[in-house]
């Protein structure tokens, strides 16, 4: 197999355009084989950005494996550039007709060799199994997450691949989906005195940049299992602006709900959606700061944001992810009409 390494921004735009359709088609093939459904198909804008557009905070590196000129394997690494400089979030896949022939191992070895040379010695990864797959193998051998909460079928190809190649299964997440119409029918959550919720669409308003930056930084420390997947991130108003600009280039639209105690940030939730797939929303960051928990803000934020999206966009359904030990947030999701769609394993490997 011939492997080509493409760090974001290392190739001219015209060269990327020549291979873009082929790469997107391969990603779509992998998604269809996973059984996750059409909503999870790749978007050309997103793949283009991964190949072309690093910024001062984040970058991607892509590896493409060809056999006889056709793509048979792909790997990608997500890298933060301001913090966690020894960490890379990696994923690789092999064409369904070419599996069990060593191409996945060959691709992962090439990725690890390159990443170690760049000082990235802590790898994280993930695998996704539709609810129907996990349910059908309830009696088969399962691998338990190290958190002690949840498991995945040990014989599933992606589970077996990661375990065989030295990754430790750290945490299980539940992927759930809800219809925005459900939120409109739910009773509003009565907020405790002093708390308010604001919603908006699009980039972060200038007067809320500092609050959103603070909450993003808290996301790296205050979510279940955060200590396993990297150190505290550093966020400021400029980094939020850069993220908003990245979203603009990616034609990513955002609906945000922010909880405040006076003028201090207490929590937030974000949902992304795209014009080319207007019915689908993707739950982004959601957090209630530790000192503000126990006031019903998680449910209030999600319901308020879903209602706002239902009124201002064509979003019909929203997907979200939560650690299975995060019982309070799962209860909030259940209250908001979410139902299980898939299970996601989070993995970690130390190279040095």
């Amino acid at each position: 197999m011939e492997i080509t390494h493409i760090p974001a921004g290392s190739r001219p735009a015209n060269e990327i355009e020549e291979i873009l359709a082929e790469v997107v088609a391969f990603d779509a093939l992998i998604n269809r084989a996973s059984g996750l459904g059409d909503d999870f198909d790749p978007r050309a804008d997103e793949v283009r950005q991964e190949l072309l557009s690093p910024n001062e905070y984040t970058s991607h590196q892509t590896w493409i494996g060809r056999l006889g000129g056709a793509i048979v394997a792909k790997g990608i690494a997500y890298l933060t550039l301001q913090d966690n400089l020894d960490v890379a979030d990696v994923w690789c896949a092999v064409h369904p007709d070419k599996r069990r022939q060593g191409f996945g191992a060959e691709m992962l070895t090439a990725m690890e060799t390159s990443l170690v040379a760049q000082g990235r010695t802590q790898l994280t990864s993930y695998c996704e199994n539709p609810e129907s797959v996990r349910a059908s193998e309830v009696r088969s051998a399962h691998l338990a997450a190290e958190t002690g909460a949840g498991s995945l079928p040990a014989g599933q190809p992606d589970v077996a691949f990661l375990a065989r190649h030295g990754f430790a299964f750290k945490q299980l997440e539940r992927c759930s989906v809800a219809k925005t119409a459900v939120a409109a029918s739910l009773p509003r959550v009565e907020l405790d005195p002093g708390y308010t919720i604001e919603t908006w669409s699009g980039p972060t308003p200038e007067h809320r940049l500092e609050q959103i930056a603070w909450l993003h930084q808290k996301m790296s420390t205050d979510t279940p299992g955060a200590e396993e997947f990297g150190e505290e991130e550093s966020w400021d108003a400029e980094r939020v602006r850069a993220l908003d600009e990245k979203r603009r280039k990616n034609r990513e639209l955002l609906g945000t709900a922010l909880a405040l105690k006076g003028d201090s940030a207490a929590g937030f939730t974000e949902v992304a959606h795209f014009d080319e797939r207007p019915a689908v929303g993707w739950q982004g960051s959601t957090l209630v700061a530790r000192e503000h928990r126990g006031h019903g803000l998680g449910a209030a934020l999600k319901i308020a944001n879903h209602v706002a999206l239902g009124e201002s966009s064509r979003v019909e359904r929203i997907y979200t992810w939560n650690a299975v030990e995060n019982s309070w947030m799962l209860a909030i999701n259940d209250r908001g009409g979410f139902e299980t769609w898939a299970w996601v394993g989070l993995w970690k490997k130390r190279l040095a």
Side-chain angles (χ1 to χ4, degrees), residues 15 21 34 37 63 80 97 110 147 149 166 187 196 222 238 303 316 333:
E15 186 175 326
S34 76
W63 289 259
T80 57
D97 295 340
T147 60
T196 58
D222 286 11
E238 193 54 41
I303 291 172
E316 297 175 359
N333 287 345

Side-chain angles (χ1 to χ4, degrees), residues 95-110:
H95 191 292
D97 295 340
K98 300 296 182 181
R99 291 172 183 169
R100 301 186 183 279
Q101 299 180 42
F103 296 125
E106 186 178 349
M107 174 62 74
L108 182 60
T109 297

Side-chain angles (χ1 to χ4, degrees), residues 23 28 42 72 115 168 170 172 180 185 191 241 269 286 315-316 334:
V23 175
V72 296
L115 290 167
K170 291 293 185 178
L172 183 68
T180 53
S185 66
L191 298 177
R241 288 193 189 97
T269 187
T286 298
V315 174
E316 297 175 359
D334 292 342

Side-chain angles (χ1 to χ4, degrees), residues 116-320:
V116 166
Q118 299 173 60
R120 305 282 176 163
T121 57
Q122 312 298 319
L123 303 185
T124 60
S125 191
Y126 68 92
C127 63
E128 297 176 293
N129 284 254
E131 163 66 1
S132 58
V133 170
R134 189 168 181 265
S136 69
E137 299 197 25
V138 67
R139 289 185 173 84
S140 64
H142 275 229
L143 180 66
E146 290 188 4
T147 60
S151 64
L152 286 172
Q156 274 299 299
D158 45 5
V159 175
F161 177 83
L162 288 164
R164 186 166 62 249
H165 290 281
F167 284 83
F169 180 22
K170 291 293 185 178
Q171 189 177 55
L172 183 68
E173 289 188 341
R174 188 181 86 176
C175 172
S176 309
V177 63
K179 295 181 179 179
T180 53
V182 172
S185 66
L186 296 173
R188 298 294 183 270
V189 178
E190 292 294 329
L191 298 177
D192 287 352
Y195 286 101
T196 58
I197 290 179
E198 295 179 3
T199 63
W200 65 81
S201 296
T204 308
E206 283 291 316
H207 70 290
R208 294 303 182 206
L209 287 168
E210 293 294 342
Q211 286 101 329
I212 293 296
W214 183 78
L215 288 164
H216 272 292
Q217 185 156 327
K218 286 291 185 181
M219 281 290 298
S220 66
T221 61
D222 286 11
T223 55
E227 69 280 357
E228 284 285 358
F229 297 100
E231 300 173 352
E232 183 174 10
E233 297 177 356
S234 178
W235 282 80
D236 56 17
E238 193 54 41
R239 185 166 181 176
V240 176
R241 288 193 189 97
L243 178 58
D244 285 340
E245 175 61 15
K246 178 181 177 182
R247 286 167 166 158
R248 184 193 67 77
K249 289 180 178 178
N250 196 26
R251 295 197 291 174
E252 179 180 351
L253 309 172
L254 201 70
T256 303
L258 170 67
L260 298 160
K261 180 71 177 289
D263 201 45
S264 297
F268 78 136
T269 187
E270 301 173 331
V271 171
H273 56 106
F274 304 88
D275 280 341
E276 65 194 86
R277 203 169 294 163
V280 185
W282 304 98
Q283 186 73 57
S285 299
T286 298
L287 179 76
V288 175
R290 292 184 192 276
E291 57 268 35
H292 295 285
R293 292 174 183 170
H295 297 281
L297 293 178
L301 282 164
K302 285 201 169 182
I303 291 172
N305 207 28
H306 289 194
V307 169
L309 284 163
E311 293 172 347
S312 65
S313 75
R314 291 183 287 166
V315 174
E316 297 175 359
R317 55 193 177 276
I318 297 171
Y319 293 89
T320 189

